[in-house]
Amino acid sequence: MKSTTRIIMMSLLALAAVAGPAWAQAKSELTIALSSFSAETVDPALQGHNVKYYLSLMFDYLVGTTPDGQPSQAGGLASKWENSADHKRWTFHLRKGVKFHDGAEMTSDDVKFSLQRAMSKRSTTGYAGPLRTLIADIETPAPDRVVIVTIAFHRGHRASEEIYRGQRR
């Protein structure tokens, strides 16, 4: 029994030593496997009502979340945020040094563009409707700051209350 286990272990180690360098070689393209091709897209604004888990590997959210789904200043594009006394103006301070795949630095204009695109009539994402309902305007007073002007703080609206609670921590 010991010799059989030893032979299996040595075979696996030999296989790993031979195959390891081949697996570690860099590739110039990314391959994504999808369960179907009829409705799949890697564009979050056109994804429909289902936000796919693999999109979070390619795109960052404005506000990060903890593993249990609570807003967190530890992740996401915003390092901190605060609201006005009437909860209608939310100022998000963007992390410095966040870059796109081409090396260009992310700015408040990029955040505004992404939010406006997610809210557009063409957008089919599941959060387009709530964004259209909540957001009245998006301001970019500085490259590292974006201000989202809401129609009102909606008590009982899950996203409004979670963001409010998250910035209070």
Side-chain angles (χ1 to χ4, degrees):
M1 184 70 161
K2 274 188 172 181
S3 64
T4 304
T5 305
R6 185 175 297 200
I7 291 171
I8 292 172
M9 291 301 290
M10 294 304 284
S11 298
L12 290 173
L13 286 172
L15 178 63
V18 170
W23 289 336
Q25 292 177 357
K27 294 186 177 185
S28 61
E29 59 186 55
L30 172 67
T31 303
I32 301 173
L34 303 174
S35 60
S36 72
F37 296 109
S38 62
E40 298 286 347
T41 177
V42 293
D43 185 340
L46 302 176
Q47 185 58 47
H49 291 287
N50 298 321
V51 176
K52 302 293 185 180
Y53 68 91
Y54 54 80
L55 291 177
S56 65
L57 301 173
M58 294 181 272
F59 302 98
D60 286 325
Y61 290 97
L62 181 58
V63 175
T65 59
T66 62
D68 64 344
Q70 296 301 311
S72 169
Q73 294 177 351
L77 298 174
S79 59
K80 65 178 182 173
W81 57 89
E82 65 255 357
N83 58 280
S84 61
D86 62 0
H87 295 90
K88 290 185 179 182
R89 297 179 62 81
W90 294 79
T91 302
F92 294 88
H93 300 267
L94 304 177
R95 286 186 199 291
K96 299 202 185 320
V98 176
K99 297 190 184 297
F100 287 98
H101 69 283
D102 65 356
E105 190 152 342
M106 185 262 320
T107 68
S108 58
D109 288 331
D110 299 311
V111 173
K112 179 178 180 175
F113 173 83
S114 296
L115 286 170
Q116 287 177 327
R117 189 164 185 276
M119 295 167 38
S120 73
K121 290 182 181 176
R122 185 170 179 243
S123 176
T124 60
T125 185
Y127 49 84
L131 289 175
R132 289 180 199 127
T133 302
L134 291 171
I135 296 178
D137 193 21
I138 302 168
E139 301 169 358
T140 55
D144 66 340
R145 206 168 49 242
V146 63
V147 178
I148 298 176
V149 181
T150 62
I151 295 169
F153 173 75
H154 293 270
R155 191 152 308 280
H157 187 273
R158 184 173 166 233
S160 293
E161 290 188 357
E162 285 180 0
I163 291 172
Y164 178 72
R165 280 196 311 272
Q167 64 94 30
R168 289 287 183 198
R169 290 185 181 164

